[in-house]
Every structure is written in structure tokens, then in C-alpha cells.
């Protein structure tokens, strides 16, 4: 099986690039952030203290998560219900960052993520895919961009959807999330030693995708050469 790991902070363009690569290669696109979001949705709906491991851990027994693919698009099912839209609410973004810092939550999701890569060729995006979940991934890309540029993109996205946005607030939220994702003691956001760094601040989406495609092509060719040599 082939695995492509794409990590990086929120808003760096991971999901767009990962989705596009998966489509072109015929691999499964796995958005792991959606799993953390679904847990955050469940915990907040049950009014659980999302910073407390002791409160969250026993509740995980009531969580059944499933990723299904409808017309190639990932949908997240929480206890049989499609929550793919609900998990995108801004308060869930923030709650997901909190629950993702808890070791019990990370352990709970670890096997689910790894199993996806055992059964399918995948393009998986997240924060710790290249470092923890799929350390043997054949391709690892760390996508980043300045916080200001990521906030600008997020505002443009909201405007395009006819929604109001406040640049200063969006920037603040991005910085808070970066801070908690980078500084948590377990599986913090960081570039794997063998990942290729792609700073997208000055690049268009097309350029980012083209650069990622080049990396994937080169890595898959290397992989094929090694196999042929054996
Ligand atoms: O990628 P996203 O914004 O949907 O992720 C939501 C939160 O989940 C984010 O704050 C960090 C966390 N996350 C994580 O800790 N590890 C992952 N592999 C994916 C997401």
C-alpha cells in the first residue's frame, strides 16, 4: 500500500492539495481533522469538560466513528449520523483543538487512522500523520504558510460563501489554534525529519498542487526503483 502524509497548520491548503492528489492517483483521501472534530462535537453536545482527560475518556465508549465515501467525498458518521456539516462550525474547530491535546483521544483515533492505510492507498492529512500515525509513509509533505496569509485565505473563503468575516478575529483564532497544536506535549504539530517543506505563502493553489505532484511523482519513482532492485 502507498501512503502520502500531508501535515501542517490550519489553513495551509492541506485538504485542497490532499483531495486533488487523491483524486488524480485514485487513492482514498482521509481528512483526520474530521475525526477530532466529531469527537469534539460529541463531547460538547454532552457538556463534557473538553480539557479534562478524566471527563472525556469514559465518554469515548459512547463514540462510534465511521468514514464513508459518497461520490468520492469523505463523510463522517458519528453513531450512525452524518455529522460532516456540523463538525465545520467555528466552535467545533476550537473544541477539536482542545480534545486533540488529550492522550486518550489520540489513542482512540490512532488505530482507526492506521487501519485506513492498511486497507487502502491513502492521502491522509492532519498534524501528526508523518510523525506518528504513518511514520513509514512513502511521501511526506509539510505544508505551511504565514498566519496572516492563512487568515486572508479563510476570510476570502467565507466571503465567497456569502458569510461575514472579521480578519483580526480570524487571525487571532488561527494563532490560538497554532499555538495549542504546536505546544501540546503529545503528538504536537511538527515537520517530520524526512518530510518535504512546502511554504505556500507566496504560491497560488495551482503552484502548490504542481509542487506536491512533483514530490509524489519523484517519491513513487524512487519506490518503484527500490522494488525493482530487490
Ligand atoms: O485539520 P482540522 O482543522 O480539521 O483539525 C481540527 C483539529 O484537530 C486541529 O486543531 C488539530 C487536531 N488534529 C490533530 O491534532 N491531529 C490530526 N491528525 C488532525 C487534526
Amino acid at each position: 500500500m502507498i501512503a502520502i502524509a500531508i501535515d501542517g497548520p490550519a489553513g495551509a491548503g492541506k485538504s485542497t492539495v490532499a483531495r486533488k492528489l487523491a483524486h488524480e492517483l485514485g487513492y482514498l483521501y482521509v481528512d483526520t481533522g474530521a475525526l477530532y472534530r466529531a469527537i469534539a462535537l460529541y463531547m460538547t453536545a454532552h457538556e463534557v469538560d473538553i480539557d479534562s482527560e478524566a471527563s472525556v475518556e469514559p465518554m469515548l465508549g459512547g463514540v462510534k466513528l465511521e468514514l464513508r465515501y459518497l461520490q468520492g467525498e469523505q463523510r463522517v458518521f458519528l453513531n450512525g449520523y452524518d455529522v460532516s456539516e456540523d463538525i465545520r462550525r467555528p466552535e467545533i474547530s476550537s473544541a477539536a483543538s482542545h480534545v486533540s491535546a488529550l492522550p486518550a483521544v489520540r489513542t482512540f483515533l490512532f488505530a482507526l487512522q492506521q487501519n485506513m492505510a492498511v486497507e487502502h492507498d491513502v492521502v491522509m492529512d492532519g498534524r501528526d500523520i508523518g510523525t506518528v500515525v504513518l511514520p513509514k509513509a512513502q511521501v511526506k509533505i509539510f505544508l505551511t504558510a504565514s498566519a496572516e496569509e492563512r487568515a486572508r485565505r479563510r476570510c476570502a473563503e467565507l466571503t465567497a460563501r456569502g458569510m461575514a468575516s472579521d480578519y483580526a478575529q480570524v487571525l487571532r483564532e488561527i494563532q490560538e489554534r497554532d499555538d495549542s497544536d504546536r505546544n501540546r506535549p503529545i503528538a504536537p504539530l511538527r515537520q517530520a525529519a524526512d518530510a518535504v517543506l512546502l511554504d505556500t505563502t507566496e504560491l497560488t493553489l495551482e503552484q502548490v498542487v504542481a509542487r506536491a505532484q512533483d514530490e509524489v511523482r519523484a517519491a513513487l519513482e524512487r519506490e518503484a526503483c527500490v522494488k525493482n532492485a530487490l
Side-chain angles (χ1 to χ4, degrees):
M1 287 295 164
I2 303 281
I4 300 175
I6 303 193
D7 290 304
K14 295 187 302 289
S15 61
T16 314
V17 172
R19 189 177 283 118
K20 203 151 173 120
L21 286 176
H23 181 72
E24 277 172 9
L25 295 162
Y27 295 3
L28 208 57
Y29 166 49
V30 184
D31 163 14
T32 62
L35 300 170
Y36 290 91
R37 287 169 178 270
I39 290 185
L41 181 68
Y42 182 85
M43 296 301 162
T44 49
H46 287 82
E47 297 180 358
V48 175
D49 176 358
I50 52 171
D51 290 308
S52 159
E53 176 102 344
S55 308
V56 169
E57 189 166 15
M59 293 296 285
L60 288 170
V63 176
K64 187 172 178 298
L65 287 178
E66 215 186 320
L67 294 180
R68 293 188 205 158
Y69 290 83
L70 302 177
Q71 282 141 15
E73 276 297 302
Q74 174 184 293
R75 309 291 298 180
V76 189
F77 285 76
L78 170 61
N79 296 335
Y81 290 95
D82 186 345
V83 294
S84 310
E85 265 83 48
D86 292 324
I87 58 170
R88 298 293 153 196
R89 296 204 307 262
E91 68 274 21
I92 300 301
S93 303
S94 163
S97 188
H98 287 252
V99 295
S100 70
L102 303 175
V105 171
R106 304 207 73 87
T107 305
F108 181 77
L109 292 179
F110 185 73
L112 175 61
Q113 296 170 87
Q114 279 205 332
N115 287 342
M116 302 288 297
V118 170
E119 289 163 15
H120 310 271
D121 291 323
V122 292
V123 181
M124 195 174 279
D125 81 14
R127 304 293 189 285
D128 62 340
I129 308 305
T131 49
V132 177
V133 178
L134 304 176
K136 297 207 173 119
Q138 288 84 347
V139 188
K140 295 182 188 177
I141 297 174
F142 193 84
L143 270 192
T144 188
S146 71
E148 290 73 16
E149 173 61 15
R150 288 183 281 131
R152 198 194 57 70
R153 289 178 192 165
R154 177 77 185 134
C155 288
E157 203 180 291
L158 290 169
T159 307
R161 281 201 251 149
M163 292 159 81
S165 66
D166 172 351
Y167 174 80
Q169 190 190 338
V170 170
L171 178 60
R172 210 169 34 248
E173 284 166 5
I174 283 187
Q175 286 167 333
E176 278 168 12
R177 266 217 293 155
D178 281 1
D179 191 51
S180 82
D181 293 346
R182 286 198 173 109
N183 294 315
R184 64 181 176 223
I186 176 167
L189 168 65
R190 67 177 171 79
Q191 185 184 342
D194 52 351
V196 174
L197 176 67
L198 247 179
D199 186 333
T200 73
T201 309
E202 308 274 334
L203 301 178
T204 63
L205 184 60
E206 290 71 27
Q207 289 170 322
V208 179
V209 171
R211 294 275 290 276
Q213 283 166 333
D214 289 345
E215 289 304 332
V216 170
R217 221 170 282 132
L220 296 184
E221 272 167 23
R222 272 198 308 274
E223 179 82 8
C225 284
V226 172
K227 270 209 190 104
N228 288 339
L230 295 176

